[in-house]
Each structure stands twice: as C-alpha cells, then as structure tokens.
Amino acid sequence: MRAIKQVVLTSAAAVIALSSAQAADLPVKAKAIEYVKACSLHGAGFYYIPGTDTCIRLGGYLRFDTTLLPNGVTGAPGANNRLSNYYSMRSREALDIDTRTATEYGVVRTFFEGLLQWTTGGYAGAGAPSGGATTYSGDTAAGGYLQVYLAFIQFAGFTFGQTQSQFNTPWTEYPANIFELPGSGGGDAVNQFTYTADFGQGITASFSAQDQVARYTTNIWNVSAATPVGLATGAYGASDIGGSRAPDLVAMLRVDQAWGLFQASVAAHDNHAAYYGAAEPTGHPADKWGWAGQLALSIKNLPTGPGDTINVSGMYANGASRYGFNSYMSTTYARYGSTGGTGAYQSLGIGGVSDSVFVAGAGQELTTVYGFNGGYTHNWDPHWATSLYGAWAAVRYDSRAKGYVCGAFVAGLALSSGVAGCNPDFNYAVVGARAIWTPVKNLSFTAELAYNMLDQKYAGGSTVTLPPQSGIAKPGAAYELKDQGAVNILLRAQRNW
C-alpha cells in the first residue's frame, strides 16, 4: 500500500509539473500594437509620432547636375585655359524633417533640411618651383560635402534659426532659372530671429535680426594694403572686416493673393572694419551703416495658360551689396579671353564687389549696387514647361572711392590710360532659357542655356601689366582690358520624394 501511494504521488507530481510546463508554453495575450496613424491636420504626408501628439513628415530630393562649359568669373574657371574645366558634375541628396504640434498658442513647428553632395573639383598651378605641376582642390574620392541648409523653430509668429532671409522673395534669385542671377537677394539661408504678423487676407509683415557674417557681407577693402597680385584678381584692397557688432535688420511686407504676390523689403547693414594697419595703435575707420531695398511682383493665372507665372524683382543697395550679389556669387571678377590689341598677351575683364572701401586715416566709402531680375514660365501641358529669364546688376563706386582704387590700380598694374582711363565700376548681366520635362509625378529632367556678360568700365584699349599668376598659369605680361562673355549649359535630373 505504501508503495502504491508513493507511485500515485509521484505520478501526480509529474502531471502537475507537466501541466505547469504546458501552461508556461501557452501564448500570453499581446499588448495592442500602436500603428502609425496619418495626421491630416497639417496636410498630406504627415503621420503621428507613436505615443505623442506631434506629427512628422519626411521628404527631400535627389538631384544630378552636369554643367557644360562652366566658364567662371575668377580663378582657374575664369582663366579659360588648360586648367579650366569643360564640364562639372554634382550629385546631391536633400533630407527634410518637418514636425508640427498643435498647442493652445498655435502650431509649434521645427524644420530641418540637410544636404549631402559631391561635386567635381579642379586643378590649379602649384607654382614655379614645382616645374609645371598642379594641385587638386574640391571634393575627394572618398569625401563629399555636408551642409545644414535649413534648421529652424516656429512658435506663435516667431522664427528662430536658419532659414531664408525675410528680405528675399519666395523664389529668391530663381524667377525661372537654375543658374545664379544678380539683382536680388539670394537663396542661401541665414540664422535669424524673426517675428511675422499675419493680418489676414494674405497680408503679412516680418521684422528680423539676421546674421550678417559670411552670407551678407561682401568685402570691406583696405585699399592702402592693395597688392598687384590681388588687384589682378579684382580685389581692390586687403580684406579688412572686423568682428561682428550688429546683425542686419530686415523688414518685409508681403501681399499674397490668388492673382499673385507683391513684396517690399528693406535691410540695414553695419559695416565694421578692423584696423588701418597690423596693430591697434594704427587706428580704424568708424562704423558706417548701409542699407538695401527691394520691390518684387509675381503674376499668376496668366492668359497664356494654367500655371504660367511672371516673377520680377528690383533692388538698390548702398553699403549692403550682398542684397544684389548674393552669397552664391563671386565678389571678384577676372575673366580672360582673346585679344586683338597690339602688344597684349590676352584680354581681361575685371571687377570687384564691396560693401565699402577706405585708405589709412580715412573713413569708409560705401559701394552702391542696383539691379533687377525676372522670368516667365509657360506650361505647355502637364509634362512640358519652358521659361525665359534675365538679370542685370551694376556696381558703382563714388568719386572718392574711385580715387582710392584708381591710385592703387594705376600704380600696381601700370594702367596704360592712367587715372583718366580708370573706372572700377562694372555691370554683370545674364540671359537664358530653360526647358523642363516631367514624365511622371516628382521626376523632372531640365536643360538650361545661359549667356552672361561682364561689362567693365575701364577705358577702351587700355592695358595693364599683370604679375605672374602661377595658380592659373598666366605669365607676367600686358593684358587688354575688355568686356568678357560666356555661355553655360546645365543638364539636371531630379526626383522629389
């Protein structure tokens, strides 16, 4: 009996153990999965971040550009010789992250756009001691370029961070084009603190303090420190910009309606130079404020077809030249070409853009820039569009500034026509056409043709004697000063997502 009881207890224990093991293997009811939900509150493409009331949208584009005959305006691209590229390629990926949260104060928004790209570099002369060798500059085989293009927060009418200047139009310097144009504010973003008042009916006004360093300063030239090598490149003095003192102050009024858009913008820019010489005791010129103004107009719903647009803008600046020659554009111009002049090795178009110039012991003389750009886009059907565009801008130095620059130019480069034939003013113009094919949504192929002209104002037939410039393989010789034009072609494939 005792043996039987032991067997029964042992069997029961085994059954209990087996049941426990089987129970452990039974599936437990899983926690409900929180699927990502569409957020229609802020438009198409937004989704709720799981577990939050914040909506997010990812976007961007991938772009491939090929520029043929990329005739530049300075350095090796402007030398027009065996160091100049006949083509340039660029691949770029842009990533956009847009988040929005509805609050009792309105929508809190953050926006980020980062750029990853690789661009064809170039070669420059390594100098006489190297015996004709060249050196490469630009993106390397294992390298590339990373840029934080946009990064800002918007809350209750305020914008904090890096975005388009409030001075600019929505199309910036691209009224109907890809190539950069003078005559308006540029497309490069800038750090700023901005308040925008919305009056309803499409009427808004913005007031902004924006960073002027790098993107909204051209040159403050100390002409007393000018050198022949610098003058040969269009630099009319040594760069003598001091540290930041005041941001640019911008105000903008915009009327955005179904028929189009009207905008008026103004900006104030502080020109803060460093010292006359290498040390503090040499003294310095006083700060001098410059300003810029712009008017712009966009017309939609044209009788030529649905989606057709005309965008135009005009600007004037005194001591704030970046508002007419944007930060994508060069501020020194030295483009070479052929010559028919007797005794001249080649011809040269030369010019320089500054905010101000000065000489030791004197105050700053502000530089004036004015110009315009515009474009017309016509949509032939949902897949084809073409555009025509043009731009023109002028750089003007006052009489005292011309005296400073011409004194250095005649002495440093032996201008054949002397002071009487010296005039550092110049114009820069661009005209072009573009065709766009969109075979499917968000995929486009573009071809663009442009002609640009550097119209210098030195006396016709004048020559200068330039020093040797090993970086662009130009010998020390006489060069005829002459207007220079060039053709550029751009081919683009872009997929937006």
Side-chain angles (χ1 to χ4, degrees), residues 267-357:
H269 175 83
D270 179 40
N271 293 289
H272 178 75
Y275 297 98
Y276 291 129
E280 295 172 353
T282 60
H284 60 82
D287 284 20
K288 203 164 186 178
W289 281 82
W291 67 279
Q294 177 176 259
L295 295 176
L297 180 67
S298 177
I299 303 176
K300 305 175 185 178
N301 300 321
L302 298 172
T304 53
D308 290 7
T309 57
I310 295 175
N311 297 322
V312 293
S313 62
M315 57 74 56
Y316 183 95
N318 182 242
S321 298
R322 271 296 181 213
Y323 292 95
F325 280 78
N326 64 77
S327 59
Y328 290 141
M329 300 186 66
S330 179
T331 59
T332 55
Y333 293 75
R335 175 181 281 171
Y336 291 82
S338 60
T339 182
T342 303
Y345 173 70
Q346 289 178 346
S347 64
L348 169 66
I350 196 166
V353 183
S354 67
D355 292 330
S356 70
V357 301

Coordinates of all heavy atoms in Angstrom, one line a residue, residues 267-357:
A267 N 16.5 96.5 -45.6 CA 17.5 96.0 -44.7 C 18.5 97.0 -44.4 O 18.9 97.9 -45.2 CB 18.2 94.8 -45.4
A268 N 19.0 97.0 -43.1 CA 20.1 97.9 -42.7 C 21.3 97.0 -42.3 O 21.2 95.9 -41.7 CB 19.7 98.7 -41.5
H269 N 22.5 97.4 -42.7 CA 23.7 96.6 -42.6 C 24.9 97.4 -42.1 O 25.2 98.5 -42.6 CB 24.1 96.1 -44.0 CG 25.4 95.3 -44.1 ND1 25.5 94.0 -43.8 CD2 26.6 95.7 -44.4 CE1 26.7 93.6 -43.9 NE2 27.4 94.6 -44.3
D270 N 25.4 97.0 -41.0 CA 26.5 97.7 -40.3 C 27.9 97.2 -40.9 O 28.2 96.0 -41.0 CB 26.6 97.4 -38.8 CG 27.7 98.1 -38.1 OD1 28.0 99.2 -38.5 OD2 28.3 97.4 -37.2
N271 N 28.7 98.2 -41.4 CA 30.0 97.9 -42.0 C 31.0 98.2 -40.9 O 31.2 99.4 -40.5 CB 30.2 98.8 -43.2 CG 29.4 98.3 -44.4 OD1 29.5 97.3 -44.9 ND2 28.4 99.1 -44.7
H272 N 31.6 97.2 -40.3 CA 32.6 97.3 -39.2 C 33.9 96.8 -39.7 O 34.2 95.6 -39.9 CB 32.1 96.5 -38.0 CG 32.9 96.5 -36.9 ND1 33.1 97.5 -36.0 CD2 33.8 95.5 -36.4 CE1 33.9 97.3 -35.0 NE2 34.4 96.0 -35.3
A273 N 34.8 97.8 -39.9 CA 36.2 97.4 -40.3 C 37.1 97.1 -39.2 O 36.8 97.4 -38.0 CB 36.8 98.6 -41.2
A274 N 38.2 96.5 -39.4 CA 39.2 96.2 -38.4 C 40.1 97.4 -38.2 O 39.7 98.5 -37.8 CB 40.0 94.9 -38.8
Y275 N 41.4 97.3 -38.6 CA 42.4 98.4 -38.4 C 43.0 98.8 -39.7 O 43.1 98.1 -40.7 CB 43.4 97.9 -37.4 CG 42.9 97.6 -36.0 CD1 42.6 96.3 -35.7 CD2 42.6 98.6 -35.1 CE1 42.0 96.0 -34.4 CE2 42.1 98.3 -33.9 CZ 41.8 97.0 -33.5 OH 41.2 96.7 -32.3
Y276 N 43.6 100.1 -39.6 CA 44.3 100.6 -40.8 C 45.6 99.7 -41.0 O 46.0 99.5 -42.2 CB 44.7 102.0 -40.6 CG 43.6 103.0 -40.6 CD1 43.4 103.9 -39.5 CD2 42.6 103.0 -41.6 CE1 42.4 104.8 -39.5 CE2 41.6 103.9 -41.6 CZ 41.5 104.8 -40.6 OH 40.4 105.7 -40.6
G277 N 46.2 99.3 -40.0 CA 47.4 98.5 -40.1 C 47.3 97.2 -39.3 O 46.2 96.8 -39.0
A278 N 48.5 96.7 -39.0 CA 48.5 95.3 -38.4 C 48.2 95.4 -36.9 O 47.9 94.3 -36.3 CB 49.9 94.7 -38.6
A279 N 48.3 96.5 -36.3 CA 48.2 96.6 -34.8 C 47.1 97.7 -34.4 O 46.8 98.6 -35.2 CB 49.5 96.9 -34.1
E280 N 46.6 97.6 -33.2 CA 45.6 98.5 -32.7 C 46.0 100.0 -32.8 O 45.2 100.9 -33.1 CB 45.3 98.2 -31.3 CG 44.6 96.8 -31.1 CD 44.5 96.4 -29.7 OE1 45.0 97.1 -28.8 OE2 43.8 95.4 -29.4
P281 N 47.3 100.4 -32.5 CA 47.6 101.8 -32.5 C 47.5 102.5 -33.9 O 47.5 103.7 -33.9 CB 49.1 101.8 -32.0 CG 49.2 100.6 -31.2 CD 48.4 99.5 -31.9
T282 N 47.4 101.7 -34.9 CA 47.3 102.3 -36.3 C 45.9 102.9 -36.5 O 45.7 103.7 -37.4 CB 47.5 101.2 -37.4 OG1 46.5 100.2 -37.2 CG2 48.9 100.6 -37.3
G283 N 44.9 102.6 -35.6 CA 43.6 103.2 -35.7 C 42.7 102.5 -36.6 O 43.1 101.4 -37.2
H284 N 41.5 103.0 -36.8 CA 40.5 102.3 -37.6 C 39.4 103.3 -38.1 O 39.2 104.3 -37.4 CB 39.8 101.2 -36.8 CG 39.1 101.6 -35.6 ND1 37.9 102.2 -35.6 CD2 39.5 101.7 -34.3 CE1 37.5 102.5 -34.4 NE2 38.5 102.2 -33.5
P285 N 38.8 103.0 -39.2 CA 37.6 103.9 -39.6 C 36.4 103.6 -38.7 O 36.3 102.5 -38.2 CB 37.4 103.4 -41.0 CG 37.9 102.0 -41.1 CD 39.0 101.9 -40.1
A286 N 35.6 104.6 -38.6 CA 34.3 104.4 -37.8 C 33.4 103.5 -38.6 O 33.4 103.4 -39.8 CB 33.7 105.8 -37.6
D287 N 32.5 102.8 -37.8 CA 31.5 102.0 -38.5 C 30.6 102.9 -39.3 O 30.4 104.1 -39.1 CB 30.6 101.4 -37.4 CG 31.3 100.2 -36.8 OD1 32.5 100.1 -36.9 OD2 30.6 99.3 -36.2
K288 N 30.0 102.3 -40.4 CA 29.1 103.0 -41.3 C 28.0 102.1 -41.7 O 28.3 101.0 -42.2 CB 29.9 103.6 -42.5 CG 29.3 104.8 -43.2 CD 30.2 105.5 -44.1 CE 29.7 106.7 -44.7 NZ 30.6 107.4 -45.5
W289 N 26.8 102.5 -41.5 CA 25.6 101.7 -41.8 C 25.2 101.9 -43.3 O 25.2 103.0 -43.8 CB 24.4 102.1 -40.9 CG 24.5 101.5 -39.6 CD1 25.2 101.9 -38.5 CD2 23.9 100.3 -39.1 NE1 25.0 101.1 -37.4 CE2 24.2 100.1 -37.8 CE3 23.1 99.3 -39.8 CZ2 23.8 99.0 -37.0 CZ3 22.6 98.2 -39.0 CH2 23.0 98.1 -37.7
G290 N 25.0 100.7 -43.9 CA 24.5 100.7 -45.3 C 23.0 100.3 -45.2 O 22.5 99.9 -44.2
W291 N 22.4 100.2 -46.4 CA 21.0 99.8 -46.5 C 20.7 99.2 -47.8 O 21.5 99.4 -48.8 CB 20.1 100.9 -46.2 CG 20.1 102.0 -47.3 CD1 21.0 103.0 -47.4 CD2 19.1 102.1 -48.4 NE1 20.6 103.8 -48.5 CE2 19.5 103.2 -49.1 CE3 18.0 101.4 -48.8 CZ2 18.9 103.6 -50.3 CZ3 17.3 101.8 -49.9 CH2 17.8 102.9 -50.6
A292 N 19.6 98.5 -47.9 CA 19.1 97.9 -49.2 C 17.6 97.9 -49.2 O 17.0 97.8 -48.2 CB 19.7 96.5 -49.4
G293 N 17.1 98.0 -50.4 CA 15.6 97.9 -50.6 C 15.3 97.1 -51.8 O 16.1 97.1 -52.8
Q294 N 14.1 96.5 -51.8 CA 13.7 95.6 -52.9 C 12.2 95.6 -53.1 O 11.5 95.6 -52.1 CB 14.2 94.2 -52.6 CG 13.8 93.2 -53.7 CD 14.3 91.8 -53.5 OE1 15.3 91.4 -54.1 NE2 13.7 91.0 -52.5
L295 N 11.8 95.7 -54.3 CA 10.3 95.5 -54.7 C 10.2 94.3 -55.6 O 11.1 94.1 -56.5 CB 9.8 96.8 -55.4 CG 9.8 98.1 -54.5 CD1 9.3 99.2 -55.4 CD2 8.8 97.9 -53.3
A296 N 9.2 93.5 -55.4 CA 9.0 92.3 -56.2 C 7.5 92.1 -56.5 O 6.7 92.5 -55.7 CB 9.6 91.1 -55.4
L297 N 7.3 91.4 -57.6 CA 6.0 91.2 -58.1 C 5.9 89.8 -58.8 O 6.8 89.5 -59.6 CB 5.5 92.3 -59.1 CG 4.1 92.1 -59.7 CD1 3.1 92.3 -58.6 CD2 3.9 93.1 -60.8
S298 N 4.9 89.0 -58.4 CA 4.6 87.7 -59.1 C 3.2 87.8 -59.6 O 2.3 88.1 -58.9 CB 4.8 86.6 -58.2 OG 4.5 85.3 -58.8
I299 N 3.0 87.4 -60.9 CA 1.7 87.4 -61.5 C 1.4 86.0 -61.9 O 2.1 85.3 -62.7 CB 1.6 88.3 -62.7 CG1 2.0 89.8 -62.3 CG2 0.2 88.3 -63.3 CD1 2.1 90.7 -63.4
K300 N 0.2 85.5 -61.4 CA -0.2 84.1 -61.8 C -1.5 84.2 -62.6 O -1.9 85.3 -63.0 CB -0.5 83.3 -60.5 CG 0.6 83.3 -59.5 CD 0.2 82.6 -58.2 CE 1.2 82.6 -57.2 NZ 0.8 82.0 -55.9
N301 N -2.0 83.0 -63.0 CA -3.3 82.9 -63.8 C -3.2 83.8 -65.0 O -4.1 84.5 -65.4 CB -4.5 83.4 -62.9 CG -4.6 82.5 -61.7 OD1 -4.4 81.3 -61.7 ND2 -5.0 83.1 -60.6
L302 N -2.1 83.6 -65.7 CA -1.9 84.4 -67.0 C -2.8 83.8 -68.1 O -3.1 82.6 -68.1 CB -0.4 84.3 -67.4 CG 0.6 85.0 -66.4 CD1 2.0 84.7 -66.8 CD2 0.3 86.5 -66.3
P303 N -3.2 84.6 -69.0 CA -4.0 84.1 -70.1 C -3.3 83.2 -71.1 O -3.9 82.5 -71.9 CB -4.4 85.4 -70.9 CG -3.4 86.4 -70.5 CD -3.0 86.1 -69.1
T304 N -1.9 83.1 -70.9 CA -1.2 82.2 -71.8 C -1.3 80.7 -71.4 O -1.0 79.8 -72.1 CB 0.3 82.5 -71.7 OG1 0.8 82.6 -70.3 CG2 0.6 83.9 -72.4
G305 N -1.9 80.4 -70.2 CA -2.1 79.0 -69.8 C -2.1 78.8 -68.3 O -1.5 79.7 -67.5
P306 N -2.7 77.8 -67.8 CA -2.7 77.5 -66.4 C -1.4 77.2 -65.8 O -0.6 76.5 -66.4 CB -3.6 76.2 -66.3 CG -3.6 75.6 -67.7 CD -3.4 76.7 -68.6
G307 N -1.1 77.8 -64.7 CA 0.2 77.6 -64.0 C 1.3 78.5 -64.5 O 2.4 78.5 -64.0
D308 N 1.1 79.3 -65.6 CA 2.1 80.2 -66.1 C 2.3 81.3 -65.1 O 1.4 81.8 -64.4 CB 1.7 80.8 -67.4 CG 1.7 79.8 -68.5 OD1 1.9 78.6 -68.2 OD2 1.5 80.2 -69.7
T309 N 3.6 81.8 -65.0 CA 3.9 82.8 -64.0 C 4.9 83.8 -64.6 O 5.7 83.4 -65.4 CB 4.5 82.2 -62.7 OG1 5.7 81.4 -63.0 CG2 3.5 81.3 -62.0
I310 N 4.9 85.0 -64.0 CA 5.9 86.0 -64.3 C 6.4 86.5 -62.9 O 5.6 86.9 -62.0 CB 5.4 87.2 -65.1 CG1 5.0 86.8 -66.5 CG2 6.4 88.3 -65.1 CD1 4.4 87.9 -67.3
N311 N 7.7 86.4 -62.7 CA 8.3 86.8 -61.4 C 9.4 87.9 -61.7 O 10.3 87.7 -62.6 CB 9.0 85.7 -60.7 CG 8.0 84.6 -60.3 OD1 6.9 84.9 -59.8 ND2 8.4 83.3 -60.4
V312 N 9.3 89.0 -61.1 CA 10.2 90.1 -61.3 C 10.6 90.8 -60.0 O 9.7 90.8 -59.1 CB 9.7 91.2 -62.3 CG1 9.6 90.6 -63.7 CG2 8.4 91.8 -61.8
S313 N 11.8 91.3 -59.8 CA 12.2 92.0 -58.7 C 13.3 93.0 -59.0 O 14.0 92.8 -60.0 CB 12.7 91.1 -57.6 OG 13.9 90.3 -58.0
G314 N 13.3 94.1 -58.3 CA 14.4 95.1 -58.5 C 14.9 95.6 -57.1 O 14.1 95.6 -56.1
M315 N 16.2 95.9 -57.0 CA 16.8 96.3 -55.8 C 17.7 97.4 -55.9 O 18.2 97.7 -57.0 CB 17.5 95.1 -55.1 CG 18.6 94.4 -56.0 SD 20.1 95.3 -56.2 CE 20.6 95.5 -54.5
Y316 N 18.0 98.1 -54.8 CA 19.0 99.1 -54.7 C 19.7 99.0 -53.3 O 19.0 98.8 -52.3 CB 18.4 100.5 -54.8 CG 19.3 101.7 -54.8 CD1 19.8 102.2 -56.0 CD2 19.8 102.2 -53.6 CE1 20.7 103.3 -56.0 CE2 20.7 103.3 -53.6 CZ 21.2 103.8 -54.8 OH 22.1 104.8 -54.8
A317 N 21.0 99.1 -53.3 CA 21.7 99.0 -52.1 C 22.9 100.0 -52.0 O 23.5 100.2 -53.1 CB 22.3 97.6 -51.9
N318 N 23.2 100.5 -50.8 CA 24.3 101.3 -50.6 C 25.0 100.9 -49.4 O 24.5 101.0 -48.3 CB 23.9 102.8 -50.5 CG 25.1 103.8 -50.3 OD1 25.2 104.4 -49.3 ND2 25.9 103.8 -51.3
G319 N 26.2 100.2 -49.5 CA 26.9 99.7 -48.4 C 26.3 98.4 -47.9 O 26.5 98.0 -46.8
A320 N 25.6 97.7 -48.8 CA 25.0 96.4 -48.4 C 24.9 95.5 -49.7 O 23.8 95.1 -50.1 CB 23.6 96.5 -47.8
S321 N 26.0 95.2 -50.3 CA 26.0 94.7 -51.7 C 25.5 93.3 -51.8 O 25.1 92.9 -52.9 CB 27.4 94.9 -52.3 OG 27.8 96.2 -52.3
R322 N 25.5 92.5 -50.7 CA 25.1 91.1 -50.8 C 23.6 91.0 -51.2 O 23.1 90.0 -51.6 CB 25.3 90.4 -49.5 CG 26.7 89.7 -49.5 CD 26.8 88.6 -50.5 NE 28.1 87.9 -50.4 CZ 28.8 87.4 -51.4 NH1 28.3 87.5 -52.6 NH2 29.9 86.8 -51.3
Y323 N 22.9 92.1 -51.0 CA 21.4 92.1 -51.3 C 21.2 92.2 -52.8 O 20.1 92.2 -53.3 CB 20.7 93.1 -50.5 CG 20.7 92.8 -49.1 CD1 21.6 93.4 -48.2 CD2 19.7 92.0 -48.5 CE1 21.6 93.1 -46.8 CE2 19.7 91.7 -47.2 CZ 20.6 92.2 -46.3 OH 20.6 91.9 -45.0
G324 N 22.3 92.4 -53.6 CA 22.2 92.4 -55.0 C 23.1 91.4 -55.7 O 22.8 90.9 -56.8
F325 N 24.2 91.1 -55.0 CA 25.1 90.0 -55.5 C 25.1 89.0 -54.4 O 25.9 89.1 -53.4 CB 26.5 90.5 -55.7 CG 26.7 91.2 -57.1 CD1 26.2 92.5 -57.3 CD2 27.3 90.5 -58.1 CE1 26.4 93.1 -58.5 CE2 27.5 91.2 -59.4 CZ 27.0 92.5 -59.6
N326 N 24.3 87.9 -54.5 CA 24.0 87.0 -53.4 C 25.3 86.2 -53.1 O 26.3 86.2 -53.8 CB 22.8 86.1 -53.7 CG 23.0 85.2 -54.9 OD1 23.7 84.2 -54.8 ND2 22.5 85.6 -56.0
S327 N 25.2 85.4 -52.0 CA 26.4 84.7 -51.5 C 26.8 83.5 -52.3 O 27.9 83.0 -52.1 CB 26.1 84.2 -50.0 OG 25.0 83.4 -50.0
Y328 N 26.0 83.1 -53.3 CA 26.4 82.1 -54.2 C 27.3 82.7 -55.3 O 27.9 82.0 -56.1 CB 25.2 81.4 -54.9 CG 24.4 80.5 -54.0 CD1 23.0 80.5 -54.0 CD2 25.1 79.7 -53.0 CE1 22.3 79.7 -53.2 CE2 24.3 78.9 -52.2 CZ 22.9 78.9 -52.3 OH 22.2 78.1 -51.4
M329 N 27.4 84.0 -55.4 CA 28.1 84.7 -56.5 C 29.4 85.2 -56.0 O 29.6 85.5 -54.8 CB 27.3 85.8 -57.1 CG 25.9 85.4 -57.6 SD 25.1 86.8 -58.4 CE 26.2 87.1 -59.8
S330 N 30.4 85.3 -56.9 CA 31.7 85.8 -56.6 C 31.6 87.3 -56.4 O 30.8 88.0 -56.9 CB 32.7 85.5 -57.7 OG 34.0 86.0 -57.5
T331 N 32.6 87.8 -55.6 CA 32.7 89.2 -55.4 C 34.0 89.8 -56.1 O 34.2 91.0 -56.0 CB 32.8 89.6 -53.9 OG1 33.9 88.9 -53.3 CG2 31.5 89.2 -53.2
T332 N 34.8 88.9 -56.7 CA 35.9 89.3 -57.5 C 35.8 88.7 -58.9 O 35.4 87.5 -59.0 CB 37.2 88.9 -56.9 OG1 37.3 87.5 -56.6 CG2 37.5 89.7 -55.6
Y333 N 36.1 89.5 -59.9 CA 35.9 89.0 -61.3 C 37.2 89.3 -62.1 O 37.7 90.4 -62.2 CB 34.7 89.8 -62.0 CG 33.4 89.5 -61.3 CD1 33.0 90.0 -60.1 CD2 32.5 88.6 -62.0 CE1 31.8 89.7 -59.5 CE2 31.3 88.3 -61.4 CZ 30.9 88.8 -60.2 OH 29.7 88.5 -59.6
A334 N 37.7 88.2 -62.7 CA 38.9 88.3 -63.5 C 38.7 87.2 -64.6 O 39.1 86.0 -64.4 CB 40.1 88.1 -62.7
R335 N 38.1 87.5 -65.7 CA 37.8 86.6 -66.8 C 38.7 86.9 -68.0 O 38.7 88.1 -68.4 CB 36.3 86.6 -67.1 CG 36.0 85.7 -68.3 CD 34.5 85.8 -68.7 NE 33.7 85.0 -67.8 CZ 32.4 85.0 -67.7 NH1 31.7 85.9 -68.5 NH2 31.7 84.2 -66.9
Y336 N 39.4 85.9 -68.5 CA 40.3 86.1 -69.6 C 39.7 85.7 -70.9 O 38.8 84.8 -71.0 CB 41.6 85.3 -69.3 CG 42.4 85.8 -68.2 CD1 42.1 85.5 -66.9 CD2 43.5 86.7 -68.4 CE1 42.8 86.0 -65.8 CE2 44.2 87.2 -67.3 CZ 43.9 86.8 -66.0 OH 44.6 87.3 -65.0
G337 N 40.2 86.3 -72.0 CA 39.8 86.0 -73.4 C 40.8 86.3 -74.4 O 42.0 86.7 -74.0
S338 N 40.4 86.3 -75.6 CA 41.4 86.6 -76.7 C 41.5 88.1 -76.9 O 40.7 88.9 -76.3 CB 40.9 86.0 -78.0 OG 39.6 86.5 -78.4
T339 N 42.5 88.5 -77.6 CA 42.7 90.0 -77.8 C 43.2 90.3 -79.2 O 43.8 89.4 -79.9 CB 43.7 90.5 -76.8 OG1 43.9 91.9 -77.0 CG2 45.1 89.8 -77.0
G340 N 42.8 91.4 -79.7 CA 43.4 91.9 -81.0 C 44.3 93.1 -80.7 O 44.8 93.8 -81.7
G341 N 44.5 93.4 -79.4 CA 45.3 94.6 -79.1 C 46.8 94.4 -79.4 O 47.3 93.3 -79.1
T342 N 47.4 95.4 -79.9 CA 48.9 95.3 -80.2 C 49.7 95.2 -78.9 O 49.5 96.0 -78.0 CB 49.3 96.6 -80.9 OG1 48.5 96.7 -82.1 CG2 50.8 96.5 -81.3
G343 N 50.5 94.2 -78.8 CA 51.4 94.1 -77.7 C 50.8 93.4 -76.5 O 51.4 93.2 -75.5
A344 N 49.5 93.1 -76.6 CA 48.8 92.4 -75.4 C 48.9 90.9 -75.6 O 48.7 90.4 -76.7 CB 47.4 92.9 -75.3
Y345 N 49.1 90.2 -74.5 CA 49.1 88.8 -74.5 C 47.7 88.2 -74.6 O 47.5 87.3 -75.4 CB 49.8 88.3 -73.2 CG 49.8 86.8 -73.0 CD1 50.5 85.9 -73.8 CD2 49.0 86.2 -72.0 CE1 50.5 84.6 -73.7 CE2 48.9 84.8 -71.9 CZ 49.7 84.0 -72.7 OH 49.6 82.6 -72.5
Q346 N 46.8 88.7 -73.8 CA 45.4 88.3 -73.9 C 44.5 89.4 -73.4 O 45.1 90.5 -73.1 CB 45.1 87.0 -72.9 CG 45.7 85.7 -73.4 CD 45.4 84.6 -72.5 OE1 45.1 84.8 -71.3 NE2 45.7 83.4 -72.9
S347 N 43.2 89.2 -73.4 CA 42.3 90.3 -72.8 C 41.8 89.8 -71.4 O 41.9 88.7 -71.1 CB 41.2 90.5 -73.8 OG 40.3 89.4 -73.9
L348 N 41.3 90.8 -70.7 CA 40.9 90.6 -69.3 C 39.7 91.5 -69.0 O 39.8 92.7 -69.2 CB 42.0 90.8 -68.3 CG 41.7 90.9 -66.8 CD1 41.2 89.5 -66.4 CD2 42.9 91.4 -66.0
G349 N 38.6 90.9 -68.5 CA 37.6 91.6 -67.9 C 37.7 91.6 -66.4 O 37.8 90.5 -65.8
I350 N 37.7 92.7 -65.7 CA 38.0 92.7 -64.3 C 37.0 93.6 -63.5 O 36.4 94.6 -64.1 CB 39.4 93.3 -64.1 CG1 39.9 92.9 -62.7 CG2 39.5 94.7 -64.4 CD1 41.4 93.1 -62.5
G351 N 36.7 93.2 -62.3 CA 35.8 94.0 -61.5 C 35.7 93.4 -60.1 O 36.2 92.3 -59.8
G352 N 35.3 94.2 -59.1 CA 35.2 93.8 -57.8 C 34.0 94.4 -57.1 O 33.6 95.5 -57.3
V353 N 33.3 93.6 -56.2 CA 32.2 94.0 -55.4 C 32.6 94.2 -54.0 O 33.2 93.3 -53.4 CB 31.0 93.0 -55.5 CG1 29.8 93.5 -54.8 CG2 30.7 92.6 -57.0
S354 N 32.2 95.3 -53.4 CA 32.5 95.5 -52.0 C 31.3 96.2 -51.3 O 30.4 96.7 -51.9 CB 33.7 96.4 -51.8 OG 33.5 97.7 -52.3
D355 N 31.3 96.2 -50.0 CA 30.4 97.0 -49.2 C 30.9 98.4 -49.0 O 30.2 99.4 -49.0 CB 30.1 96.3 -47.8 CG 29.3 95.0 -48.0 OD1 28.5 94.9 -49.0 OD2 29.4 94.1 -47.1
S356 N 32.3 98.4 -48.8 CA 32.9 99.7 -48.6 C 34.4 99.6 -48.9 O 35.0 98.5 -48.9 CB 32.7 100.3 -47.2 OG 33.5 99.5 -46.3
V357 N 35.0 100.7 -49.1 CA 36.5 100.8 -49.3 C 37.0 102.0 -48.5 O 36.3 102.9 -48.2 CB 36.9 101.0 -50.8 CG1 36.4 99.8 -51.6 CG2 36.4 102.3 -51.3

